[in-house]
Amino acid sequence: MLQVKSERIIASAALGVLSILLATGCSASISASRVAEESSTMLTSELGQEPDDFTCDERLPAEVGAEIRCVIEIDGETIDATVTVTEVDGNEVQWEIRTEAP
């Protein structure tokens, strides 16, 4: 069972790298479902437990500092999270996941 007692969980493995093909001529973004899928995998690797659900409601712009809100469900607990782009290098996008205190 995951204990969420601290102010936030910052999983080092939650700093993920996702290679995407950037569209030319318009601002690139990553689909909400892809962000959720990759983030869930990163959290599973870091915490040793797969979230029951990880959902994001909007696309993640491939721009440093861009943020979207997501929801993680683990062991019946719902945890709000913020996914923030930390680096964009060519067609690689890195982001971190920060959870909020329950």
Side-chain angles (χ1 to χ4, degrees):
M1 179 172 171
L2 176 66
Q3 298 282 330
V4 183
K5 301 272 186 200
S6 62
E7 289 184 28
R8 65 179 120 179
I9 299 169
I10 304 174
S12 59
L15 182 59
V17 179
L18 174 65
S19 295
I20 60 169
L21 297 175
L22 297 177
T24 57
C26 63
S27 181
S29 62
I30 306 165
S31 72
S33 62
R34 184 87 185 257
V35 171
E37 179 183 323
E38 295 293 329
S39 296
S40 182
T41 299
M42 289 184 281
L43 285 176
T44 299
S45 175
E46 178 67 19
L47 301 175
Q49 178 179 0
E50 183 176 0
D52 299 323
D53 195 23
F54 194 118
T55 56
C56 304
D57 291 334
E58 59 186 299
R59 297 179 71 83
L60 180 63
E63 301 170 8
V64 173
E67 294 182 345
I68 61 171
R69 306 280 295 167
C70 300
V71 176
I72 305 167
E73 289 183 31
I74 299 177
D75 289 336
E77 291 185 56
T78 300
I79 304 165
D80 292 325
T82 301
V83 173
T84 306
V85 175
T86 58
E87 186 177 335
V88 178
D89 182 16
N91 62 346
E92 290 185 349
V93 177
Q94 295 183 6
W95 66 84
E96 67 182 2
I97 304 158
R98 294 183 183 262
T99 61
E100 298 180 6

